[in-house]
Amino acid sequence: MKTPGWLSRLFFVQNEFDHNFTVSPNLVTDDHWQTISGRRHDRSWSEIQELYTDALTAWRKNPMAWRIISTMVNYVVGSGISFTSPIGEMDDFIKRFWQHRKNRMDLRLAPMCEELVRSGDLFVLLFRNMLDGMSFIRFVTKDQIQKIETAENDWETELVYWEAPQPGEYEPRRWLSPDHPEAGMTDAVMMHYSVNRPMGALMGESDLTTIIPWLLRYSRMLEDRVRLHWAARAFLYLVTVPSNKVEAKSTQYSSAPESGSIVVKDESEEWETITPSLRGADASHDMKAVRNMIDAGSGFPPHWRGEGGDVNVATAEAMQAPPEKLLLKRQQYFVWCLEDILSQAFLRAVEIGTEPAITETDYNKIFTVESPDVSLRDNAALANASNTVAMSFAALQNTLLGKSPTLHREAVDLVFKFAGVTLDDEELDKIVTEAQADPIEPVMYPGMQPNADTKPAGNEPGAETAPAQPANSDQGE
């Protein structure tokens, strides 16, 4: 039985759709493919290669993918991230490590963040100089990692990384992590950081993983619309003449008149042009639906990529909170990665005796970080909240509770918490003790009533005396 022409065209269109929009094979369900770590939640090495290449190609060629990654980097890194330390030896090491000409950390922050969010993983190498203990930072891309070995009793403790052989080499390179027992004797160690990592997996996922198929679909649709608009510039002349003149007019108009030429005709000859109908209004809804899928995958609202549409100020304000929370979490993790790199570099110097050992292990106490604000609106909200709490506690002190050391301590703690600063018990006790040793005059805010300790007596010089009122002031009116 012969297949109808319209059915053959349908099969051709379906095959073209499947061919153009297939990104990579689904190898994770095939038990014959070996994963990179031996764990079922990790993708196979072949699939990791394809996803890494897809994300890198999309970032290089697709403007929307480029915009998503650059937006993430602009918020996370911004104008720069800097570190200091209250520990003198660590602070001096940070300055030398950060500014060393072979490290140039200020220039590396943006590429490091780009690689982390684009591929989902960041593999950092620290090469140690045995003379002065200084470490030099280098990187290995995700697609070069063939295998990761972990501790037998703890899969989160990574011990060994295997890198694919370089040109001219026949054996893979073996890098030890700082947690390996033999790491202290090696010239270099490798550290691994990842985002979007499923529980039970060692490898992370790119921020572009879920939207790459939709980026391809949108690019294909847009490309087809461009071709149709090019075709729309073509048109046909439809000339209506009496039946006895069709052959003669066909010979006369065998070629279309040139632009600007004059055609003289009688009333029996009619001219009209026919152009293709694009039905652009119908296609706009489909293209917007695909863009919505891309925005959902990126986590950013449409006006962040320049599409205003029907978004007003109120809607834009409501759309700001979710992406800002995402960016704040990503910034906190990236800052921790940098703290861990600095800490490991310092410990590598301690191992060979070029730096003194320190007992503190809490990064919050070792490092002081200056990072860009993800949202300026958060600063205004924190300032208003802190001011409101301070006024409330001042009213309690001046009207109800008077001098209470416990109240003072709780007030200081809450005011700083609402301002976004967390103080430990030692710092709180120090602030309260210093305030009690050198008190200042209480501040009277509008609407507050002074208590017995702050209200001036009526017989003191300069005291304000309210005019006397009759016992029943409303009588006699």
Side-chain angles (χ1 to χ4, degrees), residues 187-356:
D187 295 333
V189 293
M190 176 176 284
M191 293 173 290
H192 174 213
Y193 307 98
S194 61
V195 296
N196 305 324
R197 182 169 65 177
M199 186 65 70
L202 297 183
M203 284 292 194
E205 300 280 349
S206 168
D207 284 0
L208 302 178
T209 298
T210 59
I211 63 176
I212 285 178
W214 297 100
L215 289 172
L216 292 175
R217 292 184 177 99
Y218 187 75
S219 296
R220 183 71 177 186
M221 293 172 65
L222 194 60
E223 194 174 322
D224 290 342
R225 298 303 299 178
V226 171
R227 290 195 180 101
L228 288 176
H229 278 280
W230 170 83
R233 295 197 300 268
F235 58 91
L236 298 176
Y237 287 113
L238 185 62
V239 184
T240 303
V241 297
S243 57
N244 59 346
K245 295 183 178 181
V246 171
E247 184 176 354
K249 289 297 182 179
S250 298
T251 304
Q252 179 181 354
Y253 300 131
S254 58
S255 59
E258 295 182 2
S259 177
S261 60
I262 299 175
V263 177
V264 180
K265 67 181 186 66
D266 57 17
E267 65 276 3
S268 65
E269 186 174 320
E270 297 180 0
W271 285 66
E272 61 179 319
T273 57
I274 299 178
T275 59
S277 176
L278 298 181
R279 298 186 181 274
D282 297 338
S284 63
H285 300 290
D286 296 335
M287 301 187 75
K288 183 178 180 180
V290 177
R291 290 198 304 271
N292 289 339
M293 291 296 293
I294 296 174
D295 293 335
S298 67
F300 300 149
H303 65 275
W304 278 30
R305 57 175 171 79
E307 182 177 352
D310 56 352
V311 177
N312 53 35
V313 177
T315 305
E317 285 288 336
M319 290 181 177
Q320 289 288 110
E324 286 177 353
K325 297 299 182 183
L326 168 66
L327 293 168
L328 181 59
K329 285 173 34 181
R330 186 60 54 80
Q331 185 187 69
Q332 291 173 346
Y333 180 73
F334 187 66
V335 167
W336 179 87
C337 294
L338 296 175
E339 290 176 342
D340 193 55
I341 292 173
L342 290 172
S343 177
Q344 293 298 332
F346 183 80
L347 292 177
R348 297 275 291 169
V350 172
E351 289 173 345
I352 61 174
T354 58
E355 294 290 342

Side-chain angles (χ1 to χ4, degrees), residues 52-69 118 208 212 215-216 218-220 222-223:
Y52 180 86
T53 303
D54 290 343
L56 184 60
T57 303
W59 176 75
R60 284 174 168 170
K61 295 185 177 182
N62 190 287
M64 298 180 74
W66 178 285
R67 180 69 173 176
I68 291 170
I69 300 299
R118 184 177 57 238
L208 302 178
I212 285 178
L215 289 172
L216 292 175
Y218 187 75
S219 296
R220 183 71 177 186
L222 194 60
E223 194 174 322

Side-chain angles (χ1 to χ4, degrees), residues 16 37 46 107 177 232 259 315 322 379 399:
E16 282 291 307
S37 64
S46 176
L107 301 179
S177 80
S259 177
T315 305
N379 294 339
T399 59

